[in-house]
Amino acid sequence: DSGVTQTPKHLITATGQRVTLRCSPRSGDLSVYWYQQSLDQGLQFLIQYYNGEERAKGNILERFSAQQFPDLHSELNLSSLELGDSALYFCASSPGYGNTIYFGEGSWLTVV
Amino acid sequence: GEDVEQSLFLSVREGDSSVINCTYTDSSSTYLYWYKQEPGAGLQLLTYIFSNMDMKQDQRLTVLLNKKDKHLSLRIADTQTGDSAIYFCAESIRDGQNFVFGPGTRLSVLP
């Protein structure tokens, strides 16, 4: 158990819908990262937050957004969902810069 | 740009050694990592190495780092069926502000 908690574990939704994925980082970790893993794209970095502020942005679509709250948990919002958004979404956390990151178990999203 | 490359597949026989290779691009990487992903699970940190080290050994795992060639390898001794998984190489970039992962190497262990 890495200490990073993600909910829900599985989610099935229809095209055009909006979902929210939630992440609780390890106790004391200030940085949260979101990754998308699909069969054809591998592990893609989406976005990083550090102590509530956005720090780095990767291949995140405009239909997706995220935030980190004062209690350091984070949410990833996916809207106008398309079939191609079906993937495993990982949250990871670390104490700060230059530290190892630890992954949650992921949220499986299936768009039908 | 930053890029990490790995071969996608490796098959070995149970009891043999496995060697998974990785090349990276950021010469200022402070840490380099190996993660293991079993089916349906998250990425589990296996080991990491500081960039000023050449080798790190941890039980059956040996990590070798060639900084000049920007080459990292993970050797698993006495490979078991439970080692079957996807192994990701990763580097920290921009003074540890972020991480770049390779595509993963799928290790299959044959009986």
Side-chain angles (χ1 to χ4, degrees), chain A residues 6-110:
Chain A
Q6 290 187 247
T7 57
K9 290 197 182 335
H10 297 90
L11 189 57
I12 301 174
T13 191
T15 54
Q17 296 298 304
R18 172 191 167 95
V19 299
T20 297
L21 309 180
R22 183 188 166 103
C23 170
S24 294
R26 294 186 326 151
S27 177
D29 283 359
L30 299 178
S31 268
V32 169
Y33 307 76
W34 285 98
Y35 287 84
Q36 179 194 57
Q37 186 180 35
S38 56
L39 282 173
D40 57 345
Q41 294 284 330
L43 194 65
Q44 298 284 318
F45 167 67
L46 296 179
I47 198 163
Q48 179 205 358
Y49 283 84
Y50 177 79
N51 203 20
E53 306 247 338
E54 182 185 305
R55 282 295 182 177
K57 218 168 195 177
N59 301 320
I60 188 166
L61 300 172
E62 285 192 12
R63 299 183 285 109
F64 296 178
S65 65
Q67 55 183 330
Q68 185 180 26
F69 295 87
D71 67 353
L72 301 176
H73 91 271
S74 178
E75 291 181 356
L76 178 66
N77 300 296
L78 314 173
S79 61
S80 303
L81 284 166
E82 301 174 0
L83 296 177
D85 297 327
S86 296
L88 184 53
Y89 290 85
F90 284 112
C91 172
S93 74
S94 78
Y97 289 174
N99 297 105
T100 305
I101 60 173
Y102 295 89
F103 283 79
E105 292 292 305
S107 292
W108 280 97
L109 173 66
T110 303

Side-chain angles (χ1 to χ4, degrees), chain B residues 40 60 76 97 102 108-109:
Chain B
R60 291 191 298 123
I76 306 172
Q97 287 185 46
S108 298
V109 182

